[in-house]
Amino acid sequence: SDQLEKVFNDNRPQIVFHAAAYKHVPIQEIHPWTSVDTNVKGTLNMVLMADKYNVDRFVLVSTDKAVNPINIMGGTKRVAEKIIQSFNEISNTKFMAVRFGNVLGSSGSAIPTFQKQINDGGPVTITHPEMTRYFMSIQEASQLILQCGALGNDGEIFLLEMGKPIKIDQMARDLIKLSGLEPELDIPIVYIGLRPGEKLYEELRHIGENKILTKHKKIMVLKNKNAVIPWGILKISVSNLIMVSKNLDYDQIQIELKKLLPTYRPRELKPGINQNDPYSFKVEA
């Protein structure tokens, strides 16, 4: 907080783009307390500073994984969305969020991973033959985040048009062919199963979030005023979540996230299975 205070005091920013977060799903499933610390507490610290130093606009970079989340990453990012929407009601700063899918070429992106596996002679490992994801380029993501910062004025969540979801299996096969090789003939394909916290497909909006077009053809606004919780109430729940995360208590973090997020469906421990083994979980039906 002291470091943040110095940055805000020295620079007095007019606009803040808050993109700092943990993004890799399986890692956060094993260490949920670090996810809460960065994605929730980190966002709260930024929000408080933006308000204190009269920032004009604050843009939270969010994710499609925040919609009906089943993992810690999506859950904590959904809490971050809730924080900015609630705080927007009591602040002079205009808070908004931008929600989109995977960015091609970003850290941990699938294509560089597949490319390396192909160069090494395979196998190419795919979690599931039916898995799909939304993709956009770094250039698209950057431009659209800036556009949303200019368009937003009242606690909106922006949705970026990403076309149709892409099958990961097809993407891998296309990459193998583009490398002049034949899938399964030259380069074996192995299905390794969903990793901890992964969904087969992502969603872009919650039930009750109405999609409204803007003057930018690739940007839509999601409106659901009824979902905004007064900050005085939300603050208590967020504080409880941050507090239990300090005890490194996996189960308590899940309980507090469930209280905060009605649509959160975390994986549950199988009885008698080692809690520290990330592959010992099952998805709650």
Side-chain angles (χ1 to χ4, degrees):
S1 275
D2 290 345
Q3 288 177 322
L4 276 184
E5 188 93 44
K6 177 167 172 48
V7 170
F8 274 83
N9 191 38
D10 289 354
N11 297 286
R12 304 288 169 143
Q14 287 175 287
I15 303 172
V16 170
F17 293 97
H18 179 43
Y22 281 124
K23 58 169 275 191
H24 298 298
V25 169
I27 295 170
Q28 291 176 73
E29 290 299 291
I30 311 167
H31 307 285
W33 35 87
T34 55
S35 184
V36 171
D37 196 45
T38 299
N39 297 356
V40 177
K41 188 181 173 187
T43 299
L44 179 58
N45 288 342
M46 289 291 289
V47 163
L48 294 172
M49 285 294 159
D51 179 67
K52 181 177 178 180
Y53 285 93
N54 297 311
V55 168
D56 182 32
R57 290 163 184 268
F58 183 108
V59 182
L60 168 72
V61 178
S62 191
T63 168
D64 52 8
K65 291 175 177 64
V67 180
N68 299 323
I70 69 161
N71 52 51
I72 292 286
M73 187 271 194
T76 54
K77 291 295 280 186
R78 178 62 184 148
V79 172
E81 287 182 357
K82 281 178 168 282
I83 288 170
I84 65 108
Q85 284 195 301
S86 294
F87 210 87
N88 183 71
E89 304 284 302
I90 60 160
S91 175
N92 291 327
T93 300
K94 293 169 181 171
F95 290 92
M96 62 208 76
V98 184
R99 192 189 283 162
F100 56 83
N102 294 25
V103 177
L104 289 164
S106 64
S107 165
S109 184
I111 287 180
T113 304
F114 290 156
Q115 202 64 64
K116 185 179 186 310
Q117 290 176 336
I118 293 164
N119 293 341
D120 292 343
V124 167
T125 56
I126 299 168
T127 52
H128 194 287
E130 296 302 316
M131 177 177 269
T132 63
R133 287 293 180 267
Y134 290 98
F135 284 96
M136 64 198 315
S137 69
I138 290 173
Q139 289 81 0
E140 278 183 303
S142 304
Q143 285 184 355
L144 290 170
I145 289 169
L146 291 170
Q147 292 273 4
C148 290
L151 286 170
N153 60 33
D154 188 27
E156 297 102 337
I157 293 177
F158 287 96
L159 183 63
L160 305 185
E161 179 55 59
M162 287 169 285
K164 292 179 180 176
I166 295 167
K167 259 194 174 182
I168 304 296
D169 185 68
Q170 190 59 54
M171 189 167 74
R173 289 170 187 272
D174 289 345
L175 270 175
I176 293 168
K177 287 176 183 173
L178 285 168
S179 303
L181 301 163
E182 275 300 313
E184 298 186 285
L185 200 65
D186 301 312
I187 303 288
I189 292 173
V190 176
Y191 299 108
I192 58 173
L194 292 178
R195 295 176 300 174
E198 281 190 322
K199 283 182 180 179
L200 269 184
Y201 60 93
E202 299 295 352
E203 303 154 275
L204 293 172
R205 57 187 170 133
H206 289 276
I207 293 169
E209 286 182 334
N210 299 314
K211 203 161 67 169
I212 299 165
L213 297 177
T214 69
K215 55 190 175 187
H216 191 295
K217 66 179 181 180
K218 277 205 163 191
I219 299 176
M220 285 144 289
V221 175
L222 298 177
K223 284 280 189 184
N224 188 357
K225 273 289 184 184
N226 298 331
V228 179
I229 301 165
W231 176 243
I233 295 169
L234 187 70
K235 182 181 179 181
I236 296 164
S237 301
V238 170
S239 298
N240 288 342
L241 175 61
I242 292 168
M243 190 172 66
V244 300
S245 74
K246 288 176 183 173
N247 300 328
L248 312 187
D249 187 330
Y250 186 99
D251 290 339
Q252 276 302 122
I253 289 171
Q254 295 287 25
I255 289 164
E256 292 301 328
L257 270 176
K258 266 186 166 179
K259 286 182 191 172
L260 270 160
L261 307 172
T263 62
Y264 180 49
R265 294 177 291 115
R267 297 167 312 140
E268 290 193 327
L269 282 170
K270 290 178 183 174
I273 300 290
N274 180 2
Q275 184 168 337
N276 295 317
D277 177 5
Y279 295 96
S280 68
F281 293 100
K282 60 178 180 173
V283 175
E284 184 184 47

